[in-house]
Amino acid sequence: MSATPLTSEQISELAHALSSARKDVRILDRFPGPIPSTLEEAYVVQDGSVSASEQPIVGWKVGMVPSELREKMGAERIIGPIFKNVHVPLNEQQATGEMFELPVFAGGFIAIEAELVIEINQDIAPGSINTADGVEHLVKGVYAGIEIASSPVVDLNSYGPTAIIADIGNQYGVVVGSAISDWKNSIANMQTSVTINDQLINTAPTDGILNGPMAALAFMIDCCAERGITLPAGSLCCSGAITGVHEVLVGAKSTVKFGDVCTMDFTLVDINK
């Protein structure tokens, strides 16, 4: 991270470099500028990338800050926008095993994450919700899902959470699979698994992320409030990796299963093909 605060010019240049690399599908062999020193600075860079995008935002991914950095960063989680063009709602066949394809930045960073996707049931204006009172009443639905973490920066995650924030949270796809009925009880008794190229990578309790998925939703609401962002009804919260962040290459064939509720079989393909 940069030892000194970034100038407004550096922030603008960094946002342009990151957003244009995504738009032009240009792979970067290193982070294209000084790494923001604080979360606040990183979110200003992210704001610049959001402004540069022509896509509407349909929700936010929530990621974890490594445990050893949480005290220094002053946060357990980070967020990044989910743009409409990488929002992938599945049909019934695709949510029950029919193969589909997901584009990624070939040669860049690519990872698969099994995640619960939460849909909110009302508009949430900044400061209108005290999340300490609970957020379950704000949930319209909970879905089996996948986040595809992909960036033109080949080793983005190695630069730390502020770099990840700056590059829109390091994601290029949020897959929304089957709705989970009676989700409060169901996810407490469900296992989620990820298989890559016919090898079982990991299995974990579906509700096993730090303090549970409602903590991720609360964080998204609070972080957006601090940034003056209104969350429209229907906004999605991709709530965090259940089985881990699994790095892969183009061509990988994967299966993500949420108990007996949803089976998602997919192949990662080059965004340019």
Side-chain angles (χ1 to χ4, degrees), residues 108-219:
F109 182 93
I110 311 167
I112 296 165
E113 303 175 28
E115 307 202 7
L116 287 169
V117 179
I118 304 164
E119 181 181 7
I120 63 172
N121 60 14
Q122 65 181 65
D123 294 350
I124 302 177
S128 64
I129 296 295
N130 180 3
T131 58
D133 294 336
V135 294
E136 289 185 0
H137 65 289
L138 301 170
V139 175
K140 179 179 180 179
V142 176
Y143 305 85
I146 303 165
E147 181 192 348
I148 298 300
S150 192
S151 166
V153 183
V154 297
D155 55 349
L156 178 64
N157 278 13
S158 69
Y159 295 100
T162 59
I164 294 169
I165 290 170
D167 193 21
I168 65 168
N170 187 14
Q171 61 85 25
Y172 195 74
V174 172
V175 177
V176 182
S178 303
I180 301 175
S181 60
D182 188 24
W183 63 268
K184 295 178 190 178
N185 293 316
S186 295
I187 65 174
N189 298 285
M190 186 184 296
Q191 295 286 308
T192 294
S193 65
V194 174
T195 300
I196 300 173
N197 295 330
D198 298 321
Q199 180 181 356
L200 178 62
I201 303 301
N202 196 16
T203 299
T206 301
D207 64 351
I209 65 170
L210 181 66
N211 298 322
M214 292 301 106
L217 176 59
F219 179 83

Side-chain angles (χ1 to χ4, degrees), residues 4 17 30-31 54 79 85 109 149 171 206 215 221 232-233 248 252 257:
T4 57
R30 62 181 182 276
F31 194 76
E54 298 174 353
I79 68 171
N85 65 316
F109 182 93
Q171 61 85 25
T206 301
I221 293 169
V248 290
K257 293 188 69 174

Side-chain angles (χ1 to χ4, degrees), residues 31 37 48 53 55 67 71 82 87 92 94 110 114 116 125 132 136 140 156 208 215 217 241 257 261 269:
F31 194 76
S37 59
S53 174
Q55 289 289 325
S67 56
E71 183 175 354
I82 303 167
H87 168 229
E92 184 178 353
Q94 291 168 327
I110 311 167
L116 287 169
E136 289 185 0
K140 179 179 180 179
L156 178 64
L217 176 59
K257 293 188 69 174
V261 171
V269 298

Side-chain angles (χ1 to χ4, degrees), residues 201-265:
I201 303 301
N202 196 16
T203 299
T206 301
D207 64 351
I209 65 170
L210 181 66
N211 298 322
M214 292 301 106
L217 176 59
F219 179 83
M220 181 188 80
I221 293 169
D222 288 341
C223 190
C224 285
E226 290 172 6
R227 297 169 66 189
I229 297 169
T230 293
L231 295 166
S235 292
L236 303 176
C237 171
C238 200
S239 60
I242 296 167
T243 65
V245 178
H246 311 300
E247 292 192 44
V248 290
L249 300 173
V250 164
K253 292 180 169 58
S254 303
T255 299
V256 173
K257 293 188 69 174
F258 282 74
D260 297 326
V261 171
C262 188
T263 298
M264 295 171 279
D265 290 325

